[in-house]
Amino acid sequence: MTESAAFLTALRLSDSMLPVGTYTASYGIEQYLNEGRIETTGDLADLVAGYLRGIVGPAETVALGCAHRSAAAGDLDGVLAADERLAASTLPAEFRESSTKAGGKLLDLLADADGPFEGAAGDELVEEYAAALDAGETAGHYPVILGLLCQRAGIGRREAALVGAYSTVTGLLGAAQRLGRFGHTEIQSALSGLFPTIEAVCDRYHDADLEAMCSFAPLADVMGMRHERADRRLFMS
Amino acid sequence: MGHRDVATVGLGGPVGSGKTAMVKRLVPRLDDAGYNVGVIANDIMTQADAEQLQASFEGRLPEDLVAGVETGACPHTGIREDPSMNLAKIDEFTERHPDLDVVLVESGGDNLAATFNPELADYFMFVISVAEGDDIPAKRGPGVTQADLLVINKKDLAPYVDADLDLMERDSERVRGEEPTVFTNCKTEEGIDEVVDLIERSVLFA
Ligand SMILES: Nc1nc2c(ncn2[C@@H]2O[C@H](COP(=O)(O)OP(=O)(O)O)[C@@H](O)[C@H]2O)c(=O)[nH]1
Ligand SMILES: [Mg+2]
Protein backbone atom coordinates (compact mmCIF):
# COMPACT_ATOMS: atom_id res chain seq x y z
CA MET A 1 0.00 0.00 0.00
CA THR A 2 1.31 3.42 -0.95
CA GLU A 3 1.31 5.87 1.95
CA SER A 4 -1.28 8.60 1.59
CA ALA A 5 1.32 11.35 1.66
CA ALA A 6 3.29 9.66 -1.13
CA PHE A 7 0.12 9.16 -3.13
CA LEU A 8 -0.84 12.80 -2.71
CA THR A 9 2.64 13.86 -3.83
CA ALA A 10 2.26 11.64 -6.89
CA LEU A 11 -1.02 13.37 -7.70
CA ARG A 12 0.57 16.73 -7.14
CA LEU A 13 3.44 15.93 -9.49
CA SER A 14 1.00 14.79 -12.20
CA ASP A 15 -1.19 17.86 -11.86
CA SER A 16 -0.93 20.58 -14.48
CA MET A 17 -1.10 23.00 -11.54
CA LEU A 18 2.53 22.18 -10.72
CA PRO A 19 4.29 25.45 -11.65
CA VAL A 20 7.23 24.20 -13.71
CA GLY A 21 6.32 25.62 -17.10
CA THR A 22 5.50 22.35 -18.82
CA TYR A 23 2.52 23.99 -20.54
CA THR A 24 5.00 25.90 -22.73
CA ALA A 25 6.44 22.68 -24.22
CA SER A 26 4.89 20.73 -27.07
CA TYR A 27 7.90 18.55 -27.92
CA GLY A 28 7.30 18.86 -31.63
CA ILE A 29 3.49 18.59 -31.57
CA GLU A 30 3.17 22.23 -32.64
CA GLN A 31 5.27 21.50 -35.70
CA TYR A 32 3.24 18.40 -36.60
CA LEU A 33 0.17 20.65 -36.52
CA ASN A 34 1.89 23.50 -38.37
CA GLU A 35 2.67 21.07 -41.18
CA GLY A 36 -0.83 19.63 -41.25
CA ARG A 37 0.33 16.15 -40.29
CA ILE A 38 -2.34 15.57 -37.66
CA GLU A 39 -5.95 15.75 -38.75
CA THR A 40 -8.01 13.65 -36.37
CA THR A 41 -7.92 12.73 -32.70
CA GLY A 42 -7.05 9.23 -33.89
CA ASP A 43 -3.94 10.56 -35.64
CA LEU A 44 -3.01 12.38 -32.48
CA ALA A 45 -3.44 9.32 -30.28
CA ASP A 46 -1.32 7.22 -32.67
CA LEU A 47 1.36 9.86 -32.61
CA VAL A 48 1.44 10.05 -28.83
CA ALA A 49 1.62 6.26 -28.66
CA GLY A 50 4.68 6.55 -30.90
CA TYR A 51 6.25 9.06 -28.49
CA LEU A 52 5.61 6.61 -25.65
CA ARG A 53 7.25 3.70 -27.45
CA GLY A 54 10.11 5.68 -29.02
CA ILE A 55 11.04 8.33 -26.44
CA VAL A 56 9.07 8.27 -23.19
CA GLY A 57 9.65 4.59 -22.48
CA PRO A 58 13.15 3.79 -23.73
CA ALA A 59 14.72 7.17 -22.91
CA GLU A 60 12.79 9.15 -20.28
CA THR A 61 11.53 6.24 -18.18
CA VAL A 62 14.95 4.61 -18.19
CA ALA A 63 16.50 7.88 -16.99
CA LEU A 64 13.79 8.35 -14.36
CA GLY A 65 14.16 4.79 -13.12
CA CYS A 66 17.95 5.05 -12.89
CA ALA A 67 17.73 8.34 -11.01
CA HIS A 68 15.23 6.76 -8.61
CA ARG A 69 17.38 3.68 -8.04
CA SER A 70 20.56 5.75 -7.60
CA ALA A 71 18.79 8.11 -5.20
CA ALA A 72 17.71 5.15 -3.08
CA ALA A 73 21.35 4.02 -2.94
CA GLY A 74 22.59 7.54 -2.18
CA ASP A 75 24.59 7.36 -5.39
CA LEU A 76 24.97 10.87 -6.83
CA ASP A 77 27.10 9.64 -9.73
CA GLY A 78 24.30 7.35 -10.81
CA VAL A 79 21.88 10.28 -10.92
CA LEU A 80 24.36 12.38 -12.88
CA ALA A 81 24.98 9.53 -15.32
CA ALA A 82 21.24 9.28 -16.03
CA ASP A 83 21.19 13.00 -16.73
CA GLU A 84 24.16 12.85 -19.06
CA ARG A 85 22.85 9.91 -21.02
CA LEU A 86 19.39 11.40 -21.42
CA ALA A 87 20.93 14.63 -22.72
CA ALA A 88 22.94 12.63 -25.23
CA SER A 89 19.85 10.72 -26.36
CA THR A 90 17.74 13.82 -26.91
CA LEU A 91 18.60 15.27 -30.29
CA PRO A 92 16.45 18.40 -30.78
CA ALA A 93 17.89 21.34 -28.87
CA GLU A 94 14.44 22.59 -27.93
CA PHE A 95 13.47 19.23 -26.42
CA ARG A 96 16.55 19.42 -24.22
CA GLU A 97 15.80 23.02 -23.33
CA SER A 98 12.16 22.38 -22.41
CA SER A 99 13.20 19.42 -20.30
CA THR A 100 16.04 21.15 -18.47
CA LYS A 101 14.05 24.34 -17.87
CA ALA A 102 11.19 22.41 -16.29
CA GLY A 103 13.69 20.25 -14.43
CA GLY A 104 15.44 23.32 -13.02
CA LYS A 105 12.13 24.75 -11.88
CA LEU A 106 11.13 21.49 -10.23
CA LEU A 107 14.43 21.38 -8.41
CA ASP A 108 13.99 25.01 -7.30
CA LEU A 109 10.70 24.01 -5.70
CA LEU A 110 12.35 20.98 -4.20
CA ALA A 111 15.58 22.48 -2.95
CA ASP A 112 14.34 25.83 -1.69
CA ALA A 113 14.50 25.75 2.09
CA ASP A 114 11.34 27.86 2.31
CA GLY A 115 9.82 26.05 -0.63
CA PRO A 116 6.87 23.76 -0.86
CA PHE A 117 8.72 20.43 -0.51
CA GLU A 118 10.17 21.03 2.98
CA GLY A 119 11.04 17.36 3.37
CA ALA A 120 13.56 17.49 0.54
CA ALA A 121 15.30 20.71 1.53
CA GLY A 122 18.39 19.90 3.51
CA ASP A 123 18.55 16.45 1.93
CA GLU A 124 22.22 15.81 1.21
CA LEU A 125 21.80 14.13 -2.16
CA VAL A 126 19.34 16.77 -3.38
CA GLU A 127 21.74 19.51 -2.31
CA GLU A 128 24.71 17.86 -3.98
CA TYR A 129 22.70 17.45 -7.15
CA ALA A 130 21.58 21.09 -6.99
CA ALA A 131 25.18 22.18 -6.53
CA ALA A 132 26.24 20.16 -9.58
CA LEU A 133 23.45 21.79 -11.57
CA ASP A 134 24.45 25.28 -10.40
CA ALA A 135 28.03 24.58 -11.37
CA GLY A 136 26.93 23.54 -14.85
CA GLU A 137 28.19 20.00 -14.29
CA THR A 138 24.87 18.37 -15.07
CA ALA A 139 21.95 19.29 -17.29
CA GLY A 140 18.96 18.84 -14.97
CA HIS A 141 16.55 16.90 -17.16
CA TYR A 142 13.00 16.69 -15.93
CA PRO A 143 12.65 12.89 -15.77
CA VAL A 144 15.86 12.65 -13.74
CA ILE A 145 14.81 15.23 -11.19
CA LEU A 146 11.33 13.72 -11.08
CA GLY A 147 12.85 10.30 -10.35
CA LEU A 148 14.97 11.78 -7.59
CA LEU A 149 12.05 13.64 -6.07
CA CYS A 150 9.68 10.66 -6.26
CA GLN A 151 12.21 8.45 -4.50
CA ARG A 152 12.61 10.99 -1.71
CA ALA A 153 8.83 11.31 -1.41
CA GLY A 154 8.38 7.58 -0.93
CA ILE A 155 6.83 6.93 -4.34
CA GLY A 156 7.84 3.55 -5.75
CA ARG A 157 9.83 3.32 -8.98
CA ARG A 158 7.01 1.94 -11.10
CA GLU A 159 4.55 4.53 -9.78
CA ALA A 160 7.15 7.23 -10.41
CA ALA A 161 7.46 6.02 -14.00
CA LEU A 162 3.67 6.17 -14.36
CA VAL A 163 3.64 9.74 -13.01
CA GLY A 164 6.29 10.74 -15.55
CA ALA A 165 4.68 9.04 -18.54
CA TYR A 166 1.19 10.23 -17.65
CA SER A 167 2.36 13.83 -17.29
CA THR A 168 4.15 13.69 -20.62
CA VAL A 169 1.07 12.30 -22.34
CA THR A 170 -1.29 14.91 -20.90
CA GLY A 171 1.27 17.58 -21.79
CA LEU A 172 1.32 16.47 -25.43
CA LEU A 173 -2.45 16.08 -25.67
CA GLY A 174 -2.98 19.43 -23.96
CA ALA A 175 -0.63 21.18 -26.36
CA ALA A 176 -2.48 19.66 -29.33
CA GLN A 177 -5.82 20.64 -27.86
CA ARG A 178 -4.79 24.28 -27.50
CA LEU A 179 -3.37 24.50 -31.01
CA GLY A 180 -5.71 22.36 -33.04
CA ARG A 181 -9.40 21.67 -32.94
CA PHE A 182 -10.03 18.55 -30.92
CA GLY A 183 -13.10 17.94 -28.81
CA HIS A 184 -12.58 17.65 -25.08
CA THR A 185 -14.40 14.31 -24.83
CA GLU A 186 -12.39 12.97 -27.78
CA ILE A 187 -9.16 13.99 -26.06
CA GLN A 188 -10.28 12.18 -22.92
CA SER A 189 -11.03 9.08 -24.97
CA ALA A 190 -7.60 9.31 -26.55
CA LEU A 191 -6.08 9.56 -23.08
CA SER A 192 -7.80 6.45 -21.78
CA GLY A 193 -6.97 4.67 -25.01
CA LEU A 194 -3.31 5.38 -24.27
CA PHE A 195 -3.39 3.88 -20.78
CA PRO A 196 -2.39 0.36 -21.89
CA THR A 197 0.61 1.79 -23.75
CA ILE A 198 1.60 3.95 -20.77
CA GLU A 199 1.42 0.89 -18.55
CA ALA A 200 3.30 -1.31 -20.98
CA VAL A 201 6.23 1.06 -21.46
CA CYS A 202 6.50 1.77 -17.74
CA ASP A 203 6.50 -1.94 -16.94
CA ARG A 204 9.12 -2.58 -19.53
CA TYR A 205 11.51 0.27 -18.78
CA HIS A 206 11.27 1.45 -15.18
CA ASP A 207 13.87 -1.05 -13.99
CA ALA A 208 16.07 -1.00 -17.08
CA ASP A 209 19.81 -0.46 -16.98
CA LEU A 210 21.12 2.88 -18.05
CA GLU A 211 23.03 1.18 -20.89
CA ALA A 212 19.69 0.14 -22.36
CA MET A 213 18.66 3.75 -22.91
CA CYS A 214 17.86 4.76 -26.46
CA SER A 215 15.55 7.13 -28.24
CA PHE A 216 14.09 6.35 -31.63
CA ALA A 217 11.50 8.73 -33.04
CA PRO A 218 13.15 10.21 -36.12
CA LEU A 219 10.16 12.17 -37.38
CA ALA A 220 9.51 13.68 -33.96
CA ASP A 221 13.18 14.69 -33.87
CA VAL A 222 12.87 16.30 -37.29
CA MET A 223 9.71 18.14 -36.20
CA GLY A 224 11.50 19.33 -33.08
CA MET A 225 14.35 20.70 -35.15
CA ARG A 226 12.14 22.34 -37.75
CA HIS A 227 10.21 24.00 -34.95
CA GLU A 228 13.34 26.02 -34.12
CA ARG A 229 12.85 27.86 -37.38
CA ALA A 230 9.07 27.82 -37.57
CA ASP A 231 7.63 31.10 -38.75
CA ARG A 232 4.83 31.01 -36.17
CA ARG A 233 5.32 29.46 -32.78
CA LEU A 234 3.35 29.57 -29.56
CA PHE A 235 5.38 26.91 -27.75
CA MET A 236 9.01 26.75 -26.72
CA SER A 237 9.44 23.35 -28.33
CA MET B 1 22.06 37.50 -9.01
CA GLY B 2 18.69 36.37 -10.26
CA HIS B 3 15.10 37.41 -10.76
CA ARG B 4 14.79 38.34 -7.10
CA ASP B 5 17.46 41.02 -7.45
CA VAL B 6 15.93 43.06 -10.23
CA ALA B 7 12.82 45.22 -10.30
CA THR B 8 10.06 43.91 -12.54
CA VAL B 9 7.14 45.76 -14.07
CA GLY B 10 4.31 43.74 -15.57
CA LEU B 11 2.10 45.18 -18.30
CA GLY B 12 -1.17 43.34 -18.76
CA GLY B 13 -4.36 44.09 -20.65
CA PRO B 14 -6.45 43.13 -23.66
CA VAL B 15 -5.03 42.68 -27.15
CA GLY B 16 -4.41 45.98 -28.90
CA SER B 17 -4.85 48.24 -25.88
CA GLY B 18 -1.35 49.66 -26.36
CA LYS B 19 0.93 47.56 -24.15
CA THR B 20 3.69 47.35 -26.74
CA ALA B 21 3.27 51.04 -27.57
CA MET B 22 3.66 51.79 -23.86
CA VAL B 23 6.80 49.66 -23.54
CA LYS B 24 8.27 51.53 -26.50
CA ARG B 25 7.62 54.83 -24.74
CA LEU B 26 8.89 53.70 -21.37
CA VAL B 27 12.19 52.20 -22.48
CA PRO B 28 13.85 55.39 -23.78
CA ARG B 29 12.79 57.34 -20.69
CA LEU B 30 14.04 54.72 -18.25
CA ASP B 31 17.22 54.35 -20.28
CA ASP B 32 17.79 58.13 -20.28
CA ALA B 33 17.21 58.18 -16.54
CA GLY B 34 20.20 55.86 -16.23
CA TYR B 35 18.49 52.53 -15.62
CA ASN B 36 19.56 49.33 -17.35
CA VAL B 37 16.40 47.95 -18.87
CA GLY B 38 15.35 44.56 -20.25
CA VAL B 39 12.15 43.73 -22.13
CA ILE B 40 10.23 40.45 -22.27
CA ALA B 41 7.23 40.06 -24.54
CA ASN B 42 4.78 37.20 -24.19
CA ASP B 43 2.89 38.08 -27.37
CA ILE B 44 5.55 37.17 -29.90
CA MET B 45 4.15 34.60 -32.28
CA THR B 46 5.97 35.00 -35.55
CA GLN B 47 9.56 35.50 -36.56
CA ALA B 48 8.55 38.91 -37.89
CA ASP B 49 7.19 39.95 -34.46
CA ALA B 50 10.47 39.02 -32.83
CA GLU B 51 12.58 40.89 -35.35
CA GLN B 52 10.38 43.95 -35.18
CA LEU B 53 10.57 44.09 -31.40
CA GLN B 54 14.36 43.82 -31.39
CA ALA B 55 14.65 46.44 -34.12
CA SER B 56 12.49 48.88 -32.16
CA PHE B 57 15.09 49.02 -29.38
CA GLU B 58 18.13 49.02 -31.61
CA GLY B 59 20.85 51.27 -30.26
CA ARG B 60 19.03 51.51 -26.94
CA LEU B 61 19.08 47.99 -25.52
CA PRO B 62 21.49 45.14 -26.14
CA GLU B 63 19.83 42.55 -28.34
CA ASP B 64 20.07 39.91 -25.63
CA LEU B 65 17.92 42.01 -23.30
CA VAL B 66 14.93 41.94 -25.63
CA ALA B 67 13.27 38.54 -25.72
CA GLY B 68 10.05 36.73 -26.34
CA VAL B 69 8.74 34.00 -24.06
CA GLU B 70 6.30 31.50 -25.54
CA THR B 71 3.43 30.67 -23.24
CA GLY B 72 2.02 27.60 -24.97
CA ALA B 73 -1.19 29.38 -26.01
CA CYS B 74 -1.89 30.18 -22.33
CA PRO B 75 -1.15 33.89 -21.91
CA HIS B 76 -2.72 34.21 -18.47
CA THR B 77 -0.96 31.09 -17.13
CA GLY B 78 2.37 32.58 -18.14
CA ILE B 79 1.94 35.61 -15.91
CA ARG B 80 -0.30 34.26 -13.19
CA GLU B 81 -0.46 30.55 -12.23
CA ASP B 82 2.93 29.55 -13.54
CA PRO B 83 5.33 32.38 -14.40
CA SER B 84 8.34 30.05 -14.21
CA MET B 85 9.38 30.51 -17.84
CA ASN B 86 9.28 34.31 -17.53
CA LEU B 87 11.33 34.06 -14.34
CA ALA B 88 13.79 31.77 -16.09
CA LYS B 89 14.20 34.39 -18.81
CA ILE B 90 14.83 37.12 -16.23
CA ASP B 91 17.47 34.86 -14.67
CA GLU B 92 19.12 34.57 -18.09
CA PHE B 93 19.10 38.37 -18.39
CA THR B 94 20.68 38.90 -14.99
CA GLU B 95 23.31 36.23 -15.58
CA ARG B 96 24.51 38.06 -18.67
CA HIS B 97 23.87 41.55 -17.29
CA PRO B 98 24.40 41.61 -13.52
CA ASP B 99 23.93 45.40 -13.54
CA LEU B 100 20.36 45.14 -14.83
CA ASP B 101 17.92 47.42 -12.94
CA VAL B 102 14.48 46.73 -14.31
CA VAL B 103 12.67 44.32 -16.62
CA LEU B 104 9.42 45.21 -18.36
CA VAL B 105 7.28 42.11 -18.92
CA GLU B 106 4.51 42.53 -21.48
CA SER B 107 1.87 39.84 -21.17
CA GLY B 108 0.20 38.28 -24.15
CA GLY B 109 -3.05 40.12 -24.80
CA ASP B 110 -5.71 38.67 -22.59
CA ASN B 111 -9.06 39.39 -21.06
CA LEU B 112 -10.03 41.60 -18.15
CA ALA B 113 -9.42 38.85 -15.59
CA ALA B 114 -5.67 38.46 -16.02
CA THR B 115 -3.46 39.66 -13.18
CA PHE B 116 0.29 39.40 -12.62
CA ASN B 117 1.68 36.96 -10.10
CA PRO B 118 3.34 39.07 -7.38
CA GLU B 119 6.42 36.82 -7.56
CA LEU B 120 6.79 37.83 -11.21
CA ALA B 121 5.94 41.54 -11.14
CA ASP B 122 6.87 43.94 -8.37
CA TYR B 123 4.68 46.51 -10.06
CA PHE B 124 1.64 45.60 -12.13
CA MET B 125 0.10 47.99 -14.60
CA PHE B 126 -3.04 47.16 -16.48
CA VAL B 127 -3.45 48.85 -19.83
CA ILE B 128 -6.89 49.27 -21.38
CA SER B 129 -7.93 51.64 -24.12
CA VAL B 130 -10.94 53.90 -24.50
CA ALA B 131 -11.71 52.16 -27.79
CA GLU B 132 -12.71 48.94 -26.04
CA GLY B 133 -15.69 50.65 -24.44
CA ASP B 134 -16.02 53.16 -21.64
CA ASP B 135 -17.78 50.62 -19.43
CA ILE B 136 -14.64 48.57 -18.79
CA PRO B 137 -13.63 50.10 -15.42
CA ALA B 138 -17.17 49.62 -14.10
CA LYS B 139 -17.05 45.89 -14.87
CA ARG B 140 -14.52 45.57 -12.03
CA GLY B 141 -12.39 42.89 -13.70
CA PRO B 142 -9.51 41.68 -11.52
CA GLY B 143 -7.00 43.36 -13.85
CA VAL B 144 -8.66 46.74 -13.36
CA THR B 145 -9.20 46.43 -9.62
CA GLN B 146 -5.94 44.77 -8.58
CA ALA B 147 -3.36 46.56 -10.72
CA ASP B 148 -0.99 48.93 -8.98
CA LEU B 149 -1.62 51.32 -11.86
CA LEU B 150 -4.49 51.46 -14.33
CA VAL B 151 -3.57 53.04 -17.65
CA ILE B 152 -6.41 54.15 -19.91
CA ASN B 153 -4.73 54.57 -23.26
CA LYS B 154 -5.75 56.01 -26.65
CA LYS B 155 -7.31 58.99 -25.01
CA ASP B 156 -7.20 60.68 -28.42
CA LEU B 157 -9.74 58.22 -29.80
CA ALA B 158 -12.46 59.02 -27.27
CA PRO B 159 -14.49 61.32 -29.56
CA TYR B 160 -14.52 58.71 -32.35
CA VAL B 161 -15.81 55.87 -30.24
CA ASP B 162 -18.20 57.85 -28.03
CA ALA B 163 -16.16 57.12 -24.91
CA ASP B 164 -17.00 59.27 -21.90
CA LEU B 165 -13.63 59.95 -20.24
CA ASP B 166 -15.21 61.54 -17.15
CA LEU B 167 -17.28 58.42 -16.60
CA MET B 168 -14.18 56.22 -16.98
CA GLU B 169 -12.31 58.34 -14.48
CA ARG B 170 -15.15 58.28 -11.94
CA ASP B 171 -15.64 54.53 -12.31
CA SER B 172 -11.90 53.88 -11.96
CA GLU B 173 -11.76 55.92 -8.80
CA ARG B 174 -14.77 54.12 -7.43
CA VAL B 175 -13.47 50.59 -8.09
CA ARG B 176 -9.78 51.16 -7.37
CA GLY B 177 -9.84 53.09 -4.13
CA GLU B 178 -6.54 54.87 -3.53
CA GLU B 179 -4.66 53.28 -6.42
CA PRO B 180 -3.80 55.59 -9.35
CA THR B 181 -5.27 55.76 -12.83
CA VAL B 182 -3.55 57.60 -15.67
CA PHE B 183 -4.97 58.55 -19.07
CA THR B 184 -2.41 58.29 -21.85
CA ASN B 185 -1.93 58.84 -25.53
CA CYS B 186 1.00 56.84 -26.79
CA LYS B 187 1.05 58.78 -30.07
CA THR B 188 1.61 62.22 -28.54
CA GLU B 189 3.21 60.77 -25.39
CA GLU B 190 0.69 62.54 -23.18
CA GLY B 191 0.62 61.01 -19.70
CA ILE B 192 3.75 58.91 -20.22
CA ASP B 193 5.93 60.96 -17.88
CA GLU B 194 3.41 60.38 -15.13
CA VAL B 195 3.58 56.62 -15.71
CA VAL B 196 7.39 56.67 -15.56
CA ASP B 197 7.24 58.75 -12.42
CA LEU B 198 4.93 56.23 -10.72
CA ILE B 199 7.17 53.31 -11.72
CA GLU B 200 10.26 55.09 -10.43
CA ARG B 201 8.70 56.00 -7.13
CA SER B 202 7.14 52.59 -6.59
CA VAL B 203 9.88 50.14 -7.55
CA LEU B 204 13.10 51.89 -8.49
CA PHE B 205 13.67 54.32 -5.62
CA ALA B 206 12.28 51.89 -3.11
N1 LIG C 1 -4.63 56.48 -31.63
C1 LIG C 1 -3.84 55.77 -30.80
N2 LIG C 1 -3.38 54.56 -31.19
C2 LIG C 1 -2.58 53.88 -30.34
C3 LIG C 1 -2.23 54.38 -29.05
N3 LIG C 1 -1.47 53.47 -28.44
C4 LIG C 1 -1.33 52.43 -29.31
N4 LIG C 1 -2.00 52.68 -30.45
C5 LIG C 1 -2.11 51.80 -31.62
O1 LIG C 1 -2.89 50.69 -31.25
C6 LIG C 1 -2.46 49.50 -31.93
C7 LIG C 1 -2.19 48.40 -30.95
O2 LIG C 1 -1.14 48.78 -30.08
P1 LIG C 1 -0.14 47.73 -29.41
O3 LIG C 1 0.79 48.53 -28.57
O4 LIG C 1 0.44 46.84 -30.41
O5 LIG C 1 -1.16 46.91 -28.49
P2 LIG C 1 -0.90 45.63 -27.55
O6 LIG C 1 -1.56 44.48 -28.19
O7 LIG C 1 -1.57 46.00 -26.25
O8 LIG C 1 0.57 45.49 -27.40
C8 LIG C 1 -1.24 49.92 -32.72
O9 LIG C 1 -1.62 50.15 -34.04
C9 LIG C 1 -0.79 51.20 -32.05
O10 LIG C 1 -0.11 52.08 -32.93
C10 LIG C 1 -2.77 55.67 -28.67
O11 LIG C 1 -2.54 56.19 -27.57
N5 LIG C 1 -3.56 56.30 -29.57
MG1 LIG D 1 1.84 43.83 -27.75
Side-chain angles (χ1 to χ4, degrees):
Chain A
M1 259 286 280
T2 311
E3 294 289 332
S4 297
F7 180 64
L8 287 173
T9 304
L11 292 178
R12 181 180 184 188
L13 292 168
S14 328
D15 191 339
S16 64
M17 192 186 179
L18 189 72
V20 293
T22 34
Y23 67 97
T24 66
S26 91
Y27 291 102
I29 295 288
E30 177 167 36
Q31 193 62 19
Y32 275 97
L33 284 156
N34 280 350
E35 298 191 11
R37 289 169 185 268
I38 312 172
E39 298 280 339
T40 65
T41 315
D43 297 343
L44 177 63
D46 289 345
L47 178 63
V48 174
Y51 272 76
L52 280 165
R53 285 190 291 263
I55 303 175
V56 181
E60 294 179 4
T61 303
V62 174
L64 182 150
C66 284
H68 190 286
R69 205 164 46 237
S70 304
D75 170 17
L76 177 68
D77 288 342
V79 182
L80 299 181
D83 221 358
E84 187 176 13
R85 193 144 185 137
L86 185 58
S89 308
T90 308
L91 293 186
E94 289 185 348
F95 288 14
R96 290 195 302 274
E97 211 172 283
S98 281
S99 170
T100 54
K101 278 197 166 149
K105 286 296 166 191
L106 182 59
L107 192 67
D108 281 349
L109 289 179
L110 177 60
D112 188 343
D114 310 317
F117 291 95
E118 322 80 26
D123 182 300
E124 201 176 323
L125 187 74
V126 172
E127 290 198 341
E128 281 170 8
Y129 181 84
L133 186 62
D134 269 348
E137 290 159 13
T138 199
H141 281 280
Y142 194 74
V144 171
I145 292 169
L146 186 61
L148 175 63
L149 169 56
C150 284
Q151 195 280 327
R152 283 309 195 243
I155 301 166
R157 188 142 61 245
R158 184 170 176 277
E159 286 76 19
L162 290 168
V163 165
Y166 174 83
S167 310
T168 302
V169 166
T170 53
L172 296 174
L173 293 176
Q177 190 172 25
R178 299 202 292 282
L179 285 168
R181 296 198 60 201
F182 303 100
H184 60 297
T185 58
E186 284 189 8
I187 291 277
Q188 285 297 317
S189 303
L191 177 58
S192 38
L194 286 161
F195 277 9
T197 313
I198 292 177
E199 214 182 309
V201 301
C202 288
D203 279 341
R204 179 164 171 199
Y205 294 108
H206 75 280
D207 261 336
D209 281 343
L210 192 54
E211 285 66 39
M213 188 192 293
C214 67
S215 171
F216 188 73
L219 191 56
D221 286 346
V222 169
M223 290 300 122
M225 292 175 195
R226 281 198 196 148
H227 186 263
E228 293 167 29
R229 287 176 207 84
D231 181 56
R232 190 210 70 170
R233 30 182 294 151
L234 278 67
F235 285 74
M236 280 188 190
S237 62
Chain B
M1 187 73 195
H3 60 79
R4 290 192 177 89
D5 307 302
V6 67
T8 48
V9 176
L11 294 95
V15 180
S17 63
K19 297 179 293 301
T20 303
M22 179 62 68
V23 170
K24 286 178 181 168
R25 297 301 179 214
L26 296 179
V27 165
R29 284 174 169 75
L30 292 168
D31 182 40
D32 287 342
Y35 299 107
N36 295 316
V37 189
V39 173
I40 294 176
N42 287 184
D43 67 345
I44 301 290
M45 291 198 192
T46 64
Q47 208 51 48
D49 286 350
E51 282 159 19
Q52 209 198 12
L53 189 74
Q54 298 229 321
S56 64
F57 299 114
E58 212 181 319
R60 278 279 180 192
L61 304 186
E63 224 172 64
D64 62 355
L65 281 180
V66 181
V69 165
E70 294 94 346
T71 53
C74 295
H76 53 273
T77 308
I79 59 159
R80 192 176 55 197
E81 294 93 313
D82 183 358
S84 53
M85 293 299 140
N86 277 307
L87 292 171
K89 184 58 78 181
I90 298 172
D91 286 338
E92 273 174 41
F93 280 7
T94 56
E95 251 166 55
R96 286 193 296 257
H97 299 270
D99 51 351
L100 194 64
D101 296 304
V102 56
V103 179
L104 306 180
V105 182
E106 179 188 344
S107 89
D110 211 320
N111 53 39
L112 300 175
T115 51
F116 266 80
N117 185 315
E119 291 181 43
L120 174 62
D122 299 316
Y123 193 70
F124 163 31
M125 49 196 275
F126 198 69
V127 182
I128 60 174
S129 96
V130 304
E132 289 143 1
D134 60 11
D135 57 344
I136 288 188
K139 289 181 199 290
R140 280 184 275 129
V144 168
T145 58
Q146 291 176 27
D148 296 307
L149 167 64
L150 176 66
V151 171
I152 303 179
N153 188 37
K154 307 194 190 181
K155 192 182 168 188
D156 53 304
L157 297 186
Y160 306 103
V161 294
D162 301 327
D164 180 344
L165 296 182
D166 292 332
L167 172 78
M168 293 185 91
E169 187 166 18
R170 275 198 312 277
D171 285 344
S172 301
E173 237 165 67
R174 182 163 55 83
V175 306
R176 288 177 47 74
E178 302 287 291
E179 299 298 337
T181 300
V182 176
F183 283 87
T184 57
N185 174 348
C186 283
K187 300 262 167 220
T188 61
E189 311 209 356
E190 193 182 336
I192 309 289
D193 284 334
E194 206 178 333
V195 173
V196 174
D197 195 47
L198 282 163
I199 293 174
E200 274 198 295
R201 271 191 286 148
S202 309
V203 284
L204 292 167
F205 292 167

